[in-house]
């Protein structure tokens, strides 16, 4: 195999964060007795993405995201609710969702005997750990690395250096970064001098992407497995 170590992003790479977030938000709004219109769900996803991108750029601490995104959503939609309460309900609902990207479990089963799979994520530590535990897929991961535990974040070079220091520096030449984010995963791989595989629309891929796939079923060929 060309690569037998996979550093894989979690949200919208292995787990379908978009579907889970929509479900968790709908349940949150229902709990708060607020309207859960489709436009509101779309607004949340856009606002949430913008806040996470600010975190990736180092402009804000992660803690600012949680109430900030709901404050922005409620202001945009003209809703009256406590952003902190909304975030607490949302986090409790989010980890319970079990939505995976198409082909995720089949891919992990195929890779388990021949490839070490590590999760690398900027997500909230408590939520990500609970989601993985509830997913039934934890057995396929050799390790889970969350930015909070490393005191740094993707796309910082230090994040990847710390991951490799823990799994074995000798694995650097055999590792591939997989993710759906150009600014977090692809840029992070570039910063760390690691090859990258972008999971998404090929039209969006740029010079930070060594490989591009539009389905997880295409990844084994990139790894050199098939």
């Amino acid at each position: 195999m060309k690569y037998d170590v996979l550093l894989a992003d979690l949200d919208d790479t292995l787990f379908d964060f978009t579907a889970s977030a929509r479900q968790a938000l709908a349940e949150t709004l229902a709990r708060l007795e607020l309207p859960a219109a489709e436009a509101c769900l779309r607004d949340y996803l856009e606002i949430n993405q913008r806040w996470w991108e600010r975190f990736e750029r180092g402009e804000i601490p992660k803690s600012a995201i949680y109430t900030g995104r709901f404050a922005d959503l409620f202001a945009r939609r003209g809703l009256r609710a406590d952003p902190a309460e909304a975030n607490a309900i949302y986090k409790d609902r989010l980890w319970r969702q079990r939505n995976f990207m198409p082909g995720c479990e089949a891919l992990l089963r195929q890779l388990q005997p021949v490839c070490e799979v590590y999760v690398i994520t900027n997500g909230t530590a408590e939520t990500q750990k609970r989601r993985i535990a509830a997913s039934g897929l934890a057995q396929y991961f050799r390790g889970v690395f969350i930015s909070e535990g490393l005191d740094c974040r993707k796309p910082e070079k230090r994040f990847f250096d710390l991951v490799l220091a823990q799994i074995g520096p000798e694995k650097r030449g055999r590792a591939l970064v997989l993710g759906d984010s150009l600014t977090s995963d692809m840029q992070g791989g570039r910063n760390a001098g690691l090859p990258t595989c972008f999971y998404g629309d090929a039209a969006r891929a740029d010079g930070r992407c060594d490989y591009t796939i539009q389905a997880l079923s295409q990844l084994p060929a990139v790894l050199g497995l098939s």
Side-chain angles (χ1 to χ4, degrees):
M1 289 180 66
K2 189 171 184 179
Y3 307 105
D4 62 0
V5 176
L6 183 66
L7 307 180
D9 177 50
L10 191 67
D11 289 324
D12 287 332
T13 299
L14 298 177
F15 289 10
D16 190 338
F17 173 79
T18 299
S20 294
R22 289 171 65 89
Q23 292 175 1
L25 180 64
E27 293 175 14
T28 299
L29 295 174
R31 172 76 178 275
L32 295 172
E33 299 183 344
L34 297 172
E38 177 62 27
C40 186
L41 301 178
R42 289 198 304 268
D43 282 352
Y44 173 78
L45 292 172
E46 181 268 314
I47 291 169
N48 184 60
Q49 179 66 26
R50 180 159 43 82
W51 276 90
W52 279 102
E53 288 175 356
R54 291 178 64 191
F55 167 71
E56 290 170 9
R57 294 193 296 267
E59 298 172 359
I60 59 171
K62 186 184 290 186
S63 58
I65 298 172
Y66 306 132
T67 55
R69 59 190 177 185
F70 282 104
D72 281 0
L73 176 66
F74 295 157
R76 181 182 293 188
R77 304 301 303 178
L79 302 174
R80 295 176 61 85
D82 179 4
E85 180 184 9
N87 183 67
I89 297 170
Y90 173 80
K91 284 176 62 180
D92 181 65
R93 297 300 188 271
L94 183 61
W95 73 266
R96 303 173 189 274
Q97 310 301 325
R98 297 182 77 254
N99 298 289
F100 310 118
M101 299 302 287
C104 172
E105 187 168 5
L107 172 70
L108 293 175
R109 283 200 306 268
Q110 182 181 3
L111 295 185
Q112 189 176 36
V114 294
C115 183
E116 298 179 17
V117 179
Y118 299 91
V119 170
I120 54 171
T121 174
N122 278 339
T124 307
E126 178 187 5
T127 300
Q128 299 296 60
K129 289 177 181 178
R130 297 179 81 178
R131 289 175 70 206
I132 291 171
S135 71
L137 303 182
Q139 62 184 309
Y140 297 112
F141 304 135
R142 296 290 187 93
V144 176
F145 296 93
I146 304 174
S147 59
E148 288 176 24
L150 297 179
D151 196 28
C152 54
R153 64 190 180 279
K154 297 183 295 180
E156 294 178 28
K157 178 179 182 295
R158 182 167 175 263
F159 178 97
F160 294 87
D161 288 345
L162 288 173
V163 169
L164 287 163
Q166 292 192 42
I167 69 174
E170 74 281 359
K171 296 177 181 177
R172 176 179 288 273
R174 297 151 43 200
L176 177 73
V177 177
L178 171 70
D180 70 300
S181 171
L182 294 171
T183 57
S184 175
D185 306 310
M186 301 299 99
Q187 186 62 54
R190 271 290 172 270
N191 291 344
L194 295 170
T196 59
C197 181
F198 177 59
Y199 177 24
D201 183 356
R204 293 182 53 229
D206 59 22
R208 294 171 287 190
C209 312
D210 293 301
Y211 307 94
T212 300
I213 60 172
Q214 295 178 280
L216 289 178
S217 60
Q218 298 171 339
L219 183 63
V222 174
L223 296 173
L225 183 58
S226 61

